[in-house]
Amino acid sequence: GNSVTQMEGPVTLSEEAFLTINCTYTATGYPSLFWYVQYPGEGLQLLLKATKADDKGSNKGFEATYRKETTSFHLEKGSVQVSDSAVYFCALNLGGATNKLIFGTGTLLAVQP
Amino acid sequence: GAGVSQSPSNKVTEKGKDVELRCDPISGHTALYWYRQSLGQGLEFLIYFQGNSAPDKSGLPSDRFSAERTGGSVSTLTIQRTQQEDSAVYLCASSSQGGHYGYTFGSGTRLTVV
């Protein structure tokens, strides 16, 4: 079936450290891939997306590249800030009749000053 | 509206009671989704509405759960005879271009069944 696997948290980093959150997927077709972020006490927000292989999504210093050969969409940021502390969700969408997002379990990131 | 609006933001109910959760999507968005976020369970798809098509109800966990969308806009998720395991945050999202471009989520309704 279609699924998303992301690294378990929590991930604890010092401010200005490099961030990688791994995400791999299993899909029967050609999905679009997403990273959503949930800040404490808030709803989910779309962080970035990529709709086809080799596309790079980027936003707020975060990047992720759609790698079809490794079925991955790892999230990276060169220098994290305390304000990046949140839960990050990787997701895929195959479109078609249902068009539903399939989410990973989320990764809690805690950035310490 | 400017965003997806959900009400109430918090709901505490007694086991066995029925509850209704409301979602007001972004004006003009044809697709509407309900998800459930439980502690330790991640985000679980419940139901999907697209225009006038029959909804995809494949994610509803039991027949105690139902949803409707009136006039292609506001949606109501109803849980009958609530159980403690129904306690979760219920999230609504809408989209105009289909899921390939992402959804806009509401802030959710936190349901606590006591």
PDB file of all heavy atoms in Angstrom, chain A residues 32 34 36 38 43-44 46 49 51 89 93-95 97-101 103, chain B residues 33 35 37 42-43 45 48 50 56 58 91 98-103 105-107:
ATOM      1  N   SER A  32       2.689  13.459  -5.340  1.00  0.00           N
ATOM      2  CA  SER A  32       3.240  14.727  -4.896  1.00  0.00           C
ATOM      3  C   SER A  32       3.677  14.539  -3.448  1.00  0.00           C
ATOM      4  O   SER A  32       3.078  13.753  -2.715  1.00  0.00           O
ATOM      5  CB  SER A  32       2.200  15.840  -4.979  1.00  0.00           C
ATOM      6  OG  SER A  32       1.879  16.119  -6.319  1.00  0.00           O
ATOM      7  N   PHE A  34       5.036  16.367   0.308  1.00  0.00           N
ATOM      8  CA  PHE A  34       4.835  17.582   1.110  1.00  0.00           C
ATOM      9  C   PHE A  34       5.550  17.450   2.448  1.00  0.00           C
ATOM     10  O   PHE A  34       5.724  16.349   2.986  1.00  0.00           O
ATOM     11  CB  PHE A  34       3.342  17.789   1.412  1.00  0.00           C
ATOM     12  CG  PHE A  34       2.467  17.837   0.198  1.00  0.00           C
ATOM     13  CD1 PHE A  34       1.966  16.670  -0.358  1.00  0.00           C
ATOM     14  CD2 PHE A  34       2.128  19.046  -0.378  1.00  0.00           C
ATOM     15  CE1 PHE A  34       1.154  16.695  -1.482  1.00  0.00           C
ATOM     16  CE2 PHE A  34       1.310  19.083  -1.502  1.00  0.00           C
ATOM     17  CZ  PHE A  34       0.831  17.912  -2.049  1.00  0.00           C
ATOM     18  N   TYR A  36       4.624  19.319   6.097  1.00  0.00           N
ATOM     19  CA  TYR A  36       3.770  20.204   6.878  1.00  0.00           C
ATOM     20  C   TYR A  36       4.429  20.425   8.235  1.00  0.00           C
ATOM     21  O   TYR A  36       5.154  19.558   8.737  1.00  0.00           O
ATOM     22  CB  TYR A  36       2.385  19.595   7.095  1.00  0.00           C
ATOM     23  CG  TYR A  36       1.454  19.751   5.920  1.00  0.00           C
ATOM     24  CD1 TYR A  36       1.534  18.898   4.827  1.00  0.00           C
ATOM     25  CD2 TYR A  36       0.498  20.764   5.895  1.00  0.00           C
ATOM     26  CE1 TYR A  36       0.681  19.051   3.747  1.00  0.00           C
ATOM     27  CE2 TYR A  36      -0.368  20.915   4.819  1.00  0.00           C
ATOM     28  CZ  TYR A  36      -0.259  20.058   3.747  1.00  0.00           C
ATOM     29  OH  TYR A  36      -1.102  20.219   2.672  1.00  0.00           O
ATOM     30  N   GLN A  38       3.671  21.843  12.311  1.00  0.00           N
ATOM     31  CA  GLN A  38       2.673  22.179  13.339  1.00  0.00           C
ATOM     32  C   GLN A  38       3.389  22.799  14.515  1.00  0.00           C
ATOM     33  O   GLN A  38       4.072  22.099  15.284  1.00  0.00           O
ATOM     34  CB  GLN A  38       1.895  20.931  13.753  1.00  0.00           C
ATOM     35  CG  GLN A  38       0.729  21.211  14.664  1.00  0.00           C
ATOM     36  CD  GLN A  38      -0.106  19.970  14.943  1.00  0.00           C
ATOM     37  OE1 GLN A  38       0.416  18.860  15.000  1.00  0.00           O
ATOM     38  NE2 GLN A  38      -1.398  20.146  15.108  1.00  0.00           N
ATOM     39  N   GLY A  43      -2.537  24.801  14.185  1.00  0.00           N
ATOM     40  CA  GLY A  43      -2.875  23.795  13.187  1.00  0.00           C
ATOM     41  C   GLY A  43      -1.712  23.529  12.252  1.00  0.00           C
ATOM     42  O   GLY A  43      -0.663  24.148  12.341  1.00  0.00           O
ATOM     43  N   LEU A  44      -1.921  22.594  11.327  1.00  0.00           N
ATOM     44  CA  LEU A  44      -0.878  22.253  10.357  1.00  0.00           C
ATOM     45  C   LEU A  44      -0.767  23.328   9.287  1.00  0.00           C
ATOM     46  O   LEU A  44      -1.770  23.829   8.793  1.00  0.00           O
ATOM     47  CB  LEU A  44      -1.204  20.916   9.666  1.00  0.00           C
ATOM     48  CG  LEU A  44      -0.743  19.670  10.377  1.00  0.00           C
ATOM     49  CD1 LEU A  44      -1.725  19.321  11.466  1.00  0.00           C
ATOM     50  CD2 LEU A  44      -0.636  18.524   9.395  1.00  0.00           C
ATOM     51  N   LEU A  46       1.280  24.144   5.535  1.00  0.00           N
ATOM     52  CA  LEU A  46       2.116  23.620   4.473  1.00  0.00           C
ATOM     53  C   LEU A  46       3.461  24.348   4.505  1.00  0.00           C
ATOM     54  O   LEU A  46       3.514  25.580   4.461  1.00  0.00           O
ATOM     55  CB  LEU A  46       1.437  23.831   3.118  1.00  0.00           C
ATOM     56  CG  LEU A  46       2.219  23.389   1.891  1.00  0.00           C
ATOM     57  CD1 LEU A  46       2.462  21.890   1.909  1.00  0.00           C
ATOM     58  CD2 LEU A  46       1.477  23.790   0.611  1.00  0.00           C
ATOM     59  N   LYS A  49       6.561  21.822  -0.881  1.00  0.00           N
ATOM     60  CA  LYS A  49       6.050  20.704  -1.649  1.00  0.00           C
ATOM     61  C   LYS A  49       6.881  20.487  -2.904  1.00  0.00           C
ATOM     62  O   LYS A  49       7.618  21.387  -3.334  1.00  0.00           O
ATOM     63  CB  LYS A  49       4.595  20.932  -2.044  1.00  0.00           C
ATOM     64  CG  LYS A  49       4.377  22.114  -2.991  1.00  0.00           C
ATOM     65  CD  LYS A  49       2.921  22.294  -3.317  1.00  0.00           C
ATOM     66  CE  LYS A  49       2.712  23.387  -4.359  1.00  0.00           C
ATOM     67  NZ  LYS A  49       2.967  24.728  -3.825  1.00  0.00           N
ATOM     68  N   THR A  51       6.149  18.311  -6.742  1.00  0.00           N
ATOM     69  CA  THR A  51       5.125  17.549  -7.450  1.00  0.00           C
ATOM     70  C   THR A  51       5.679  16.522  -8.424  1.00  0.00           C
ATOM     71  O   THR A  51       4.927  15.702  -8.937  1.00  0.00           O
ATOM     72  CB  THR A  51       4.170  18.493  -8.212  1.00  0.00           C
ATOM     73  OG1 THR A  51       4.944  19.296  -9.100  1.00  0.00           O
ATOM     74  CG2 THR A  51       3.424  19.384  -7.238  1.00  0.00           C
ATOM     75  N   PHE A  89       5.673  17.005   9.633  1.00  0.00           N
ATOM     76  CA  PHE A  89       5.015  15.851   9.036  1.00  0.00           C
ATOM     77  C   PHE A  89       5.357  15.769   7.555  1.00  0.00           C
ATOM     78  O   PHE A  89       5.175  16.741   6.809  1.00  0.00           O
ATOM     79  CB  PHE A  89       3.490  15.963   9.162  1.00  0.00           C
ATOM     80  CG  PHE A  89       2.962  15.871  10.550  1.00  0.00           C
ATOM     81  CD1 PHE A  89       2.793  17.013  11.324  1.00  0.00           C
ATOM     82  CD2 PHE A  89       2.608  14.642  11.089  1.00  0.00           C
ATOM     83  CE1 PHE A  89       2.288  16.932  12.617  1.00  0.00           C
ATOM     84  CE2 PHE A  89       2.101  14.551  12.381  1.00  0.00           C
ATOM     85  CZ  PHE A  89       1.942  15.696  13.140  1.00  0.00           C
ATOM     86  N   ASN A  93       0.603  12.549  -1.735  1.00  0.00           N
ATOM     87  CA  ASN A  93      -0.733  12.549  -2.325  1.00  0.00           C
ATOM     88  C   ASN A  93      -0.638  11.976  -3.722  1.00  0.00           C
ATOM     89  O   ASN A  93       0.154  12.442  -4.537  1.00  0.00           O
ATOM     90  CB  ASN A  93      -1.305  13.962  -2.361  1.00  0.00           C
ATOM     91  CG  ASN A  93      -2.758  13.973  -2.765  1.00  0.00           C
ATOM     92  OD1 ASN A  93      -3.131  13.375  -3.768  1.00  0.00           O
ATOM     93  ND2 ASN A  93      -3.578  14.632  -1.994  1.00  0.00           N
ATOM     94  N   LEU A  94      -1.434  10.944  -3.985  1.00  0.00           N
ATOM     95  CA  LEU A  94      -1.414  10.303  -5.292  1.00  0.00           C
ATOM     96  C   LEU A  94      -2.430  10.890  -6.250  1.00  0.00           C
ATOM     97  O   LEU A  94      -2.480  10.513  -7.413  1.00  0.00           O
ATOM     98  CB  LEU A  94      -1.657   8.798  -5.138  1.00  0.00           C
ATOM     99  CG  LEU A  94      -0.432   8.001  -4.689  1.00  0.00           C
ATOM    100  CD1 LEU A  94      -0.847   6.631  -4.199  1.00  0.00           C
ATOM    101  CD2 LEU A  94       0.555   7.876  -5.830  1.00  0.00           C
ATOM    102  N   GLY A  95      -3.272  11.793  -5.744  1.00  0.00           N
ATOM    103  CA  GLY A  95      -4.284  12.377  -6.610  1.00  0.00           C
ATOM    104  C   GLY A  95      -5.328  11.351  -6.972  1.00  0.00           C
ATOM    105  O   GLY A  95      -5.665  10.471  -6.175  1.00  0.00           O
ATOM    106  N   ALA A  97      -8.993   9.721  -7.716  1.00  0.00           N
ATOM    107  CA  ALA A  97     -10.360   9.877  -7.228  1.00  0.00           C
ATOM    108  C   ALA A  97     -10.420  10.384  -5.793  1.00  0.00           C
ATOM    109  O   ALA A  97     -11.327  11.128  -5.426  1.00  0.00           O
ATOM    110  CB  ALA A  97     -11.091   8.533  -7.338  1.00  0.00           C
ATOM    111  N   THR A  98      -9.496   9.977  -4.971  1.00  0.00           N
ATOM    112  CA  THR A  98      -9.580  10.335  -3.566  1.00  0.00           C
ATOM    113  C   THR A  98      -8.808  11.584  -3.225  1.00  0.00           C
ATOM    114  O   THR A  98      -9.269  12.398  -2.439  1.00  0.00           O
ATOM    115  CB  THR A  98      -9.098   9.173  -2.682  1.00  0.00           C
ATOM    116  OG1 THR A  98      -9.975   8.091  -2.855  1.00  0.00           O
ATOM    117  CG2 THR A  98      -9.055   9.574  -1.222  1.00  0.00           C
ATOM    118  N   ASN A  99      -7.614  11.720  -3.784  1.00  0.00           N
ATOM    119  CA  ASN A  99      -6.852  12.943  -3.563  1.00  0.00           C
ATOM    120  C   ASN A  99      -6.518  13.178  -2.095  1.00  0.00           C
ATOM    121  O   ASN A  99      -6.415  14.319  -1.657  1.00  0.00           O
ATOM    122  CB  ASN A  99      -7.649  14.150  -4.056  1.00  0.00           C
ATOM    123  CG  ASN A  99      -6.877  14.945  -5.088  1.00  0.00           C
ATOM    124  OD1 ASN A  99      -5.688  14.736  -5.284  1.00  0.00           O
ATOM    125  ND2 ASN A  99      -7.551  15.854  -5.745  1.00  0.00           N
ATOM    126  N   LYS A 100      -6.356  12.135  -1.323  1.00  0.00           N
ATOM    127  CA  LYS A 100      -6.114  12.351   0.097  1.00  0.00           C
ATOM    128  C   LYS A 100      -4.626  12.329   0.398  1.00  0.00           C
ATOM    129  O   LYS A 100      -3.831  11.682  -0.260  1.00  0.00           O
ATOM    130  CB  LYS A 100      -6.819  11.284   0.935  1.00  0.00           C
ATOM    131  CG  LYS A 100      -6.261   9.892   0.823  1.00  0.00           C
ATOM    132  CD  LYS A 100      -7.119   8.906   1.600  1.00  0.00           C
ATOM    133  CE  LYS A 100      -6.561   7.503   1.508  1.00  0.00           C
ATOM    134  NZ  LYS A 100      -7.510   6.499   2.034  1.00  0.00           N
ATOM    135  N   LEU A 101      -4.261  13.096   1.437  1.00  0.00           N
ATOM    136  CA  LEU A 101      -2.900  13.108   1.927  1.00  0.00           C
ATOM    137  C   LEU A 101      -2.683  11.932   2.860  1.00  0.00           C
ATOM    138  O   LEU A 101      -3.514  11.656   3.720  1.00  0.00           O
ATOM    139  CB  LEU A 101      -2.619  14.395   2.702  1.00  0.00           C
ATOM    140  CG  LEU A 101      -2.271  15.650   1.898  1.00  0.00           C
ATOM    141  CD1 LEU A 101      -2.273  16.864   2.808  1.00  0.00           C
ATOM    142  CD2 LEU A 101      -0.928  15.498   1.232  1.00  0.00           C
ATOM    143  N   PHE A 103      -0.046  10.767   5.677  1.00  0.00           N
ATOM    144  CA  PHE A 103       0.970  11.397   6.508  1.00  0.00           C
ATOM    145  C   PHE A 103       1.882  10.376   7.172  1.00  0.00           C
ATOM    146  O   PHE A 103       1.474   9.257   7.480  1.00  0.00           O
ATOM    147  CB  PHE A 103       0.306  12.203   7.630  1.00  0.00           C
ATOM    148  CG  PHE A 103      -0.327  13.482   7.179  1.00  0.00           C
ATOM    149  CD1 PHE A 103      -1.654  13.513   6.774  1.00  0.00           C
ATOM    150  CD2 PHE A 103       0.394  14.665   7.164  1.00  0.00           C
ATOM    151  CE1 PHE A 103      -2.247  14.690   6.367  1.00  0.00           C
ATOM    152  CE2 PHE A 103      -0.192  15.855   6.760  1.00  0.00           C
ATOM    153  CZ  PHE A 103      -1.515  15.871   6.353  1.00  0.00           C
TER     154      PHE A 103
ATOM    155  N   TYR B  33     -11.767  17.908   3.557  1.00  0.00           N
ATOM    156  CA  TYR B  33     -11.275  16.686   4.184  1.00  0.00           C
ATOM    157  C   TYR B  33     -11.434  16.786   5.692  1.00  0.00           C
ATOM    158  O   TYR B  33     -11.252  17.851   6.277  1.00  0.00           O
ATOM    159  CB  TYR B  33      -9.778  16.494   3.890  1.00  0.00           C
ATOM    160  CG  TYR B  33      -9.394  16.559   2.428  1.00  0.00           C
ATOM    161  CD1 TYR B  33      -9.261  17.784   1.781  1.00  0.00           C
ATOM    162  CD2 TYR B  33      -9.152  15.402   1.702  1.00  0.00           C
ATOM    163  CE1 TYR B  33      -8.903  17.845   0.447  1.00  0.00           C
ATOM    164  CE2 TYR B  33      -8.793  15.453   0.364  1.00  0.00           C
ATOM    165  CZ  TYR B  33      -8.669  16.687  -0.260  1.00  0.00           C
ATOM    166  OH  TYR B  33      -8.311  16.748  -1.582  1.00  0.00           O
ATOM    167  N   TYR B  35      -9.660  14.928   9.098  1.00  0.00           N
ATOM    168  CA  TYR B  35      -8.623  14.068   9.635  1.00  0.00           C
ATOM    169  C   TYR B  35      -8.756  14.039  11.156  1.00  0.00           C
ATOM    170  O   TYR B  35      -9.327  14.954  11.760  1.00  0.00           O
ATOM    171  CB  TYR B  35      -7.223  14.592   9.281  1.00  0.00           C
ATOM    172  CG  TYR B  35      -6.767  14.281   7.886  1.00  0.00           C
ATOM    173  CD1 TYR B  35      -7.236  15.015   6.794  1.00  0.00           C
ATOM    174  CD2 TYR B  35      -5.878  13.240   7.633  1.00  0.00           C
ATOM    175  CE1 TYR B  35      -6.823  14.725   5.503  1.00  0.00           C
ATOM    176  CE2 TYR B  35      -5.453  12.943   6.347  1.00  0.00           C
ATOM    177  CZ  TYR B  35      -5.931  13.694   5.291  1.00  0.00           C
ATOM    178  OH  TYR B  35      -5.520  13.395   4.009  1.00  0.00           O
ATOM    179  N   GLN B  37      -6.349  13.547  14.657  1.00  0.00           N
ATOM    180  CA  GLN B  37      -4.987  13.504  15.182  1.00  0.00           C
ATOM    181  C   GLN B  37      -5.050  13.059  16.632  1.00  0.00           C
ATOM    182  O   GLN B  37      -5.511  13.797  17.499  1.00  0.00           O
ATOM    183  CB  GLN B  37      -4.315  14.879  15.072  1.00  0.00           C
ATOM    184  CG  GLN B  37      -2.850  14.884  15.463  1.00  0.00           C
ATOM    185  CD  GLN B  37      -2.195  16.233  15.230  1.00  0.00           C
ATOM    186  OE1 GLN B  37      -2.855  17.267  15.165  1.00  0.00           O
ATOM    187  NE2 GLN B  37      -0.876  16.236  15.082  1.00  0.00           N
ATOM    188  N   GLY B  42      -0.596   9.779  15.083  1.00  0.00           N
ATOM    189  CA  GLY B  42      -0.394  10.533  13.855  1.00  0.00           C
ATOM    190  C   GLY B  42      -1.706  11.063  13.311  1.00  0.00           C
ATOM    191  O   GLY B  42      -2.699  11.199  14.026  1.00  0.00           O
ATOM    192  N   LEU B  43      -1.718  11.326  12.018  1.00  0.00           N
ATOM    193  CA  LEU B  43      -2.881  11.913  11.349  1.00  0.00           C
ATOM    194  C   LEU B  43      -3.613  10.843  10.554  1.00  0.00           C
ATOM    195  O   LEU B  43      -3.048  10.223   9.667  1.00  0.00           O
ATOM    196  CB  LEU B  43      -2.435  13.029  10.415  1.00  0.00           C
ATOM    197  CG  LEU B  43      -2.083  14.319  11.130  1.00  0.00           C
ATOM    198  CD1 LEU B  43      -1.020  15.074  10.384  1.00  0.00           C
ATOM    199  CD2 LEU B  43      -3.313  15.173  11.314  1.00  0.00           C
ATOM    200  N   PHE B  45      -6.791   9.834   8.131  1.00  0.00           N
ATOM    201  CA  PHE B  45      -7.819  10.297   7.200  1.00  0.00           C
ATOM    202  C   PHE B  45      -9.181   9.744   7.596  1.00  0.00           C
ATOM    203  O   PHE B  45      -9.309   8.556   7.909  1.00  0.00           O
ATOM    204  CB  PHE B  45      -7.465   9.837   5.786  1.00  0.00           C
ATOM    205  CG  PHE B  45      -8.574   9.970   4.783  1.00  0.00           C
ATOM    206  CD1 PHE B  45      -8.875  11.197   4.217  1.00  0.00           C
ATOM    207  CD2 PHE B  45      -9.323   8.870   4.402  1.00  0.00           C
ATOM    208  CE1 PHE B  45      -9.898  11.318   3.288  1.00  0.00           C
ATOM    209  CE2 PHE B  45     -10.347   8.978   3.475  1.00  0.00           C
ATOM    210  CZ  PHE B  45     -10.638  10.207   2.920  1.00  0.00           C
ATOM    211  N   TYR B  48     -13.611  12.474   2.750  1.00  0.00           N
ATOM    212  CA  TYR B  48     -13.256  13.449   1.723  1.00  0.00           C
ATOM    213  C   TYR B  48     -14.485  13.774   0.890  1.00  0.00           C
ATOM    214  O   TYR B  48     -15.192  12.877   0.439  1.00  0.00           O
ATOM    215  CB  TYR B  48     -12.152  12.859   0.847  1.00  0.00           C
ATOM    216  CG  TYR B  48     -11.923  13.478  -0.506  1.00  0.00           C
ATOM    217  CD1 TYR B  48     -11.630  14.825  -0.644  1.00  0.00           C
ATOM    218  CD2 TYR B  48     -11.966  12.686  -1.664  1.00  0.00           C
ATOM    219  CE1 TYR B  48     -11.379  15.369  -1.896  1.00  0.00           C
ATOM    220  CE2 TYR B  48     -11.726  13.234  -2.917  1.00  0.00           C
ATOM    221  CZ  TYR B  48     -11.426  14.577  -3.024  1.00  0.00           C
ATOM    222  OH  TYR B  48     -11.175  15.125  -4.258  1.00  0.00           O
ATOM    223  N   GLN B  50     -15.685  16.027  -2.509  1.00  0.00           N
ATOM    224  CA  GLN B  50     -15.232  16.758  -3.696  1.00  0.00           C
ATOM    225  C   GLN B  50     -16.458  17.152  -4.511  1.00  0.00           C
ATOM    226  O   GLN B  50     -17.113  16.302  -5.116  1.00  0.00           O
ATOM    227  CB  GLN B  50     -14.294  15.908  -4.544  1.00  0.00           C
ATOM    228  CG  GLN B  50     -13.928  16.543  -5.890  1.00  0.00           C
ATOM    229  CD  GLN B  50     -13.203  17.865  -5.760  1.00  0.00           C
ATOM    230  OE1 GLN B  50     -12.155  17.951  -5.127  1.00  0.00           O
ATOM    231  NE2 GLN B  50     -13.757  18.909  -6.356  1.00  0.00           N
ATOM    232  N   ASP B  56     -15.826  10.124  -0.170  1.00  0.00           N
ATOM    233  CA  ASP B  56     -15.002   8.961   0.155  1.00  0.00           C
ATOM    234  C   ASP B  56     -15.010   8.796   1.673  1.00  0.00           C
ATOM    235  O   ASP B  56     -14.364   9.571   2.378  1.00  0.00           O
ATOM    236  CB  ASP B  56     -13.585   9.172  -0.362  1.00  0.00           C
ATOM    237  CG  ASP B  56     -12.628   8.043   0.015  1.00  0.00           C
ATOM    238  OD1 ASP B  56     -13.013   7.139   0.791  1.00  0.00           O
ATOM    239  OD2 ASP B  56     -11.482   8.078  -0.457  1.00  0.00           O
ATOM    240  N   SER B  58     -14.010   6.110   3.323  1.00  0.00           N
ATOM    241  CA  SER B  58     -13.241   4.907   3.639  1.00  0.00           C
ATOM    242  C   SER B  58     -12.468   4.999   4.946  1.00  0.00           C
ATOM    243  O   SER B  58     -12.084   3.969   5.505  1.00  0.00           O
ATOM    244  CB  SER B  58     -12.274   4.600   2.496  1.00  0.00           C
ATOM    245  OG  SER B  58     -11.371   5.675   2.301  1.00  0.00           O
ATOM    246  N   LEU B  91      -9.334  17.559  12.645  1.00  0.00           N
ATOM    247  CA  LEU B  91      -8.856  18.605  11.754  1.00  0.00           C
ATOM    248  C   LEU B  91      -9.637  18.586  10.445  1.00  0.00           C
ATOM    249  O   LEU B  91      -9.903  17.522   9.886  1.00  0.00           O
ATOM    250  CB  LEU B  91      -7.373  18.403  11.439  1.00  0.00           C
ATOM    251  CG  LEU B  91      -6.413  18.566  12.614  1.00  0.00           C
ATOM    252  CD1 LEU B  91      -5.038  18.039  12.232  1.00  0.00           C
ATOM    253  CD2 LEU B  91      -6.315  20.018  13.021  1.00  0.00           C
ATOM    254  N   GLY B  98      -7.041  20.376  -5.841  1.00  0.00           N
ATOM    255  CA  GLY B  98      -6.751  18.966  -5.660  1.00  0.00           C
ATOM    256  C   GLY B  98      -5.534  18.776  -4.787  1.00  0.00           C
ATOM    257  O   GLY B  98      -4.730  19.683  -4.611  1.00  0.00           O
ATOM    258  N   GLY B  99      -5.391  17.604  -4.249  1.00  0.00           N
ATOM    259  CA  GLY B  99      -4.375  17.366  -3.241  1.00  0.00           C
ATOM    260  C   GLY B  99      -2.953  17.500  -3.719  1.00  0.00           C
ATOM    261  O   GLY B  99      -2.035  17.604  -2.910  1.00  0.00           O
ATOM    262  N   HIS B 100      -2.719  17.522  -5.022  1.00  0.00           N
ATOM    263  CA  HIS B 100      -1.347  17.625  -5.506  1.00  0.00           C
ATOM    264  C   HIS B 100      -0.700  18.951  -5.141  1.00  0.00           C
ATOM    265  O   HIS B 100       0.508  19.092  -5.225  1.00  0.00           O
ATOM    266  CB  HIS B 100      -1.306  17.441  -7.027  1.00  0.00           C
ATOM    267  CG  HIS B 100      -1.214  16.011  -7.445  1.00  0.00           C
ATOM    268  ND1 HIS B 100      -0.110  15.237  -7.182  1.00  0.00           N
ATOM    269  CD2 HIS B 100      -2.083  15.205  -8.079  1.00  0.00           C
ATOM    270  CE1 HIS B 100      -0.308  14.017  -7.667  1.00  0.00           C
ATOM    271  NE2 HIS B 100      -1.492  13.970  -8.211  1.00  0.00           N
ATOM    272  N   TYR B 101      -1.463  19.921  -4.748  1.00  0.00           N
ATOM    273  CA  TYR B 101      -0.909  21.227  -4.418  1.00  0.00           C
ATOM    274  C   TYR B 101      -1.033  21.561  -2.939  1.00  0.00           C
ATOM    275  O   TYR B 101      -0.710  22.650  -2.517  1.00  0.00           O
ATOM    276  CB  TYR B 101      -1.568  22.301  -5.281  1.00  0.00           C
ATOM    277  CG  TYR B 101      -1.292  22.063  -6.743  1.00  0.00           C
ATOM    278  CD1 TYR B 101      -2.203  21.377  -7.538  1.00  0.00           C
ATOM    279  CD2 TYR B 101      -0.097  22.476  -7.318  1.00  0.00           C
ATOM    280  CE1 TYR B 101      -1.935  21.113  -8.868  1.00  0.00           C
ATOM    281  CE2 TYR B 101       0.174  22.222  -8.648  1.00  0.00           C
ATOM    282  CZ  TYR B 101      -0.740  21.543  -9.417  1.00  0.00           C
ATOM    283  OH  TYR B 101      -0.472  21.293 -10.725  1.00  0.00           O
ATOM    284  N   GLY B 102      -1.500  20.614  -2.141  1.00  0.00           N
ATOM    285  CA  GLY B 102      -1.567  20.840  -0.706  1.00  0.00           C
ATOM    286  C   GLY B 102      -2.912  21.338  -0.262  1.00  0.00           C
ATOM    287  O   GLY B 102      -3.717  21.806  -1.054  1.00  0.00           O
ATOM    288  N   TYR B 103      -3.161  21.177   1.001  1.00  0.00           N
ATOM    289  CA  TYR B 103      -4.408  21.627   1.611  1.00  0.00           C
ATOM    290  C   TYR B 103      -4.133  22.804   2.540  1.00  0.00           C
ATOM    291  O   TYR B 103      -3.017  23.007   2.992  1.00  0.00           O
ATOM    292  CB  TYR B 103      -5.023  20.566   2.519  1.00  0.00           C
ATOM    293  CG  TYR B 103      -5.185  19.177   2.031  1.00  0.00           C
ATOM    294  CD1 TYR B 103      -5.344  18.161   2.958  1.00  0.00           C
ATOM    295  CD2 TYR B 103      -5.201  18.836   0.688  1.00  0.00           C
ATOM    296  CE1 TYR B 103      -5.519  16.857   2.572  1.00  0.00           C
ATOM    297  CE2 TYR B 103      -5.363  17.522   0.297  1.00  0.00           C
ATOM    298  CZ  TYR B 103      -5.525  16.540   1.239  1.00  0.00           C
ATOM    299  OH  TYR B 103      -5.695  15.243   0.853  1.00  0.00           O
ATOM    300  N   PHE B 105      -5.325  23.751   6.306  1.00  0.00           N
ATOM    301  CA  PHE B 105      -5.963  23.139   7.479  1.00  0.00           C
ATOM    302  C   PHE B 105      -6.539  24.204   8.392  1.00  0.00           C
ATOM    303  O   PHE B 105      -6.013  25.314   8.502  1.00  0.00           O
ATOM    304  CB  PHE B 105      -4.943  22.332   8.277  1.00  0.00           C
ATOM    305  CG  PHE B 105      -4.668  20.962   7.731  1.00  0.00           C
ATOM    306  CD1 PHE B 105      -3.726  20.768   6.746  1.00  0.00           C
ATOM    307  CD2 PHE B 105      -5.373  19.860   8.198  1.00  0.00           C
ATOM    308  CE1 PHE B 105      -3.475  19.509   6.229  1.00  0.00           C
ATOM    309  CE2 PHE B 105      -5.128  18.586   7.693  1.00  0.00           C
ATOM    310  CZ  PHE B 105      -4.177  18.411   6.710  1.00  0.00           C
ATOM    311  N   GLY B 106      -7.604  23.830   9.071  1.00  0.00           N
ATOM    312  CA  GLY B 106      -8.111  24.617  10.182  1.00  0.00           C
ATOM    313  C   GLY B 106      -7.315  24.317  11.445  1.00  0.00           C
ATOM    314  O   GLY B 106      -6.421  23.464  11.448  1.00  0.00           O
ATOM    315  N   SER B 107      -7.647  25.020  12.510  1.00  0.00           N
ATOM    316  CA  SER B 107      -6.911  24.853  13.773  1.00  0.00           C
ATOM    317  C   SER B 107      -7.383  23.646  14.572  1.00  0.00           C
ATOM    318  O   SER B 107      -6.753  23.283  15.565  1.00  0.00           O
ATOM    319  CB  SER B 107      -7.052  26.106  14.634  1.00  0.00           C
ATOM    320  OG  SER B 107      -6.468  27.211  13.973  1.00  0.00           O
TER     321      SER B 107
END
